[in-house]
Amino acid sequence: MVERESRGLKRYGNLYEEIVSFENLLLASKKAFRGKRDRPKVAEFYFELEKELIHLREELLNKTYEPRLLRTFLIYEPKEREIGASDFRDRVVHHAVCNVIEPIFERSFIYHSYACWEGKGTHRAIKDAQCFSRKYRYFLKCDIRKYFASIDHKILKLILAKKFKDPDLLRLLYIIISSSGPDSNEKGLPIGSLTSQHFANLYLDVFDHYIKDSLRIKAYLRYMDDFILFSDEKPELHFLYVKMKNFLGSELQLQLKENATVLAPVTDGVPFLGFRIFPNMIRLKRENKKRALKKIKLVNKAFCSGKLD
């Protein structure tokens, strides 16, 4: 069900029953199982699949569902980051939610928004960035400082409340958001969670529409918290930088990463998603090449020693 508000916004309702249906939970479990069936806890869940899903559905219907504690660990490539891994049964819930709300999110996204969207991955973003680089002389590349850790829960919940009117769905989404950790201070989403990726993309959809609808910028694209604007005039990009910085700070409580901001001619190459994009060619960044070669050597060593077939 869709409710059309006086301002022209759509609010969606009657979605919770679809999310908690056994069929949707079964589909969600199959998605969550991909590539993880050999893990002990996942295998346990899979062995008692029907029983586990019935119990999970009862919790969701009775409003007694509570996410379990996240397992956190650090990764060091390409940079040090803390990853939050959800318990497997929580991942099933995340997939069940995203099966239903993901298509709704996508309806509001601008054409040049990427990530968490089928057909709109890194390769498409790089290709479209190169198309813009052939049409304009200058680019402005920006990145948001500690994006996932800076997402404000209150603002995110308000954005979701403007999109959905189903109280049971909103309650579940708010529980997932608030389960980021006991010290979250109502800020931050765990990197690695499926719902976090979708929430993070939606959070900046407000910014996308400010760029496209209010500032009327045609040459703009965003992949998660990395975004680029193109223009034939440097002063215009300087002006837009100030406008964007102010909007992000006042409306979304976000800050731009100053040392990652680049304003330069497109002939210098646009640094984006691990590549340097030129009007007539695309180069892999040196550090990414070194990292890839290192992984290939490790795999080859494991093969030669018989650890890998």
Side-chain angles (χ1 to χ4, degrees), residues 63-306:
K63 315 296 188 301
T64 57
Y65 166 75
E66 290 291 338
R68 295 177 180 175
L69 288 176
L70 292 170
R71 180 175 63 87
T72 60
F73 57 94
L74 294 175
I75 62 170
Y76 299 94
E77 289 187 358
K79 60 184 178 182
E80 184 176 320
R81 288 184 297 178
E82 184 177 79
I83 304 297
S86 301
D87 187 86
F88 184 75
R89 73 196 305 270
D90 294 327
R91 271 183 265 160
V92 173
V93 174
H94 295 172
H95 277 283
V97 168
C98 291
N99 285 345
V100 175
I101 69 173
E102 183 182 348
I104 294 171
F105 284 1
E106 289 176 2
R107 287 170 202 160
S108 73
F109 290 165
I110 64 169
Y111 181 80
H112 289 296
S113 168
Y114 306 85
C116 310
W117 194 353
E118 189 174 349
K120 289 291 187 77
T122 55
H123 291 127
R124 181 65 179 274
I126 290 164
K127 181 182 177 182
D128 289 349
Q130 187 179 46
C131 287
F132 279 134
S133 75
R134 290 169 178 167
K135 297 176 182 178
Y136 298 91
R137 295 171 59 202
Y138 301 99
F139 72 90
L140 172 63
K141 160 74 167 58
C142 299
D143 190 359
I144 293 172
R145 183 176 177 273
K146 296 183 178 178
Y147 178 51
F148 276 80
S150 302
I151 292 174
D152 187 280
H153 290 187
K154 289 181 181 177
I155 296 173
L156 176 58
K157 290 175 181 178
L158 182 60
I159 292 171
L160 289 166
K162 289 179 179 178
K163 193 164 288 288
F164 302 111
K165 63 176 182 174
D166 187 331
D168 290 335
L169 171 57
L170 287 172
R171 178 185 175 277
L172 177 59
L173 296 179
Y174 293 172
I175 287 172
I176 292 172
I177 291 167
S178 298
S179 66
S180 319
D183 301 321
S184 62
N185 195 28
E186 294 196 330
K187 273 188 180 290
L189 295 176
I191 299 174
S193 168
L194 178 66
T195 49
S196 293
Q197 295 172 39
H198 288 287
F199 289 154
N201 211 14
L202 177 70
Y203 196 79
L204 280 175
D205 182 56
V206 178
F207 177 66
D208 293 341
H209 284 281
Y210 170 70
I211 296 290
K212 301 295 288 184
D213 303 337
S214 299
L215 299 181
R216 303 287 183 179
I217 305 302
K218 293 181 180 179
Y220 163 81
L221 53 83
R222 176 179 65 82
Y223 188 99
M224 200 54 76
D225 61 320
D226 289 349
F227 56 92
I228 314 172
L229 293 86
F230 294 84
S231 175
D232 283 326
E233 303 296 334
K234 263 189 176 182
E236 181 187 16
L237 293 176
H238 280 292
F239 171 77
L240 292 172
Y241 175 78
V242 175
K243 298 287 285 185
M244 293 187 302
K245 184 178 179 181
N246 291 340
F247 180 89
L248 288 167
S250 62
E251 299 297 323
L252 297 174
Q253 301 295 305
L254 298 173
Q255 295 179 348
L256 291 175
K257 195 185 295 181
E258 300 289 345
N259 60 358
T261 300
V262 182
L263 197 166
V266 294
T267 51
D268 286 359
V270 183
F272 190 47
L273 302 178
F275 293 83
R276 188 166 288 276
I277 303 164
F278 297 86
N280 297 313
M281 65 176 168
I282 299 171
R283 288 180 175 171
L284 184 65
K285 288 176 70 175
R286 185 177 299 173
E287 54 266 36
N288 287 24
K289 178 184 173 183
K290 287 173 67 177
R291 195 179 305 119
L293 289 173
K294 182 180 177 181
K295 288 181 180 179
I296 290 170
K297 287 179 181 177
L298 288 172
V299 170
N300 189 53
K301 184 178 179 181
F303 173 72
C304 292
S305 65

Side-chain angles (χ1 to χ4, degrees), residues 24-37:
N24 187 48
L25 289 172
L26 180 60
L27 174 61
S29 67
K30 289 178 179 178
K31 289 183 176 181
F33 282 138
R34 288 175 190 166
K36 298 181 177 67
R37 294 194 183 198

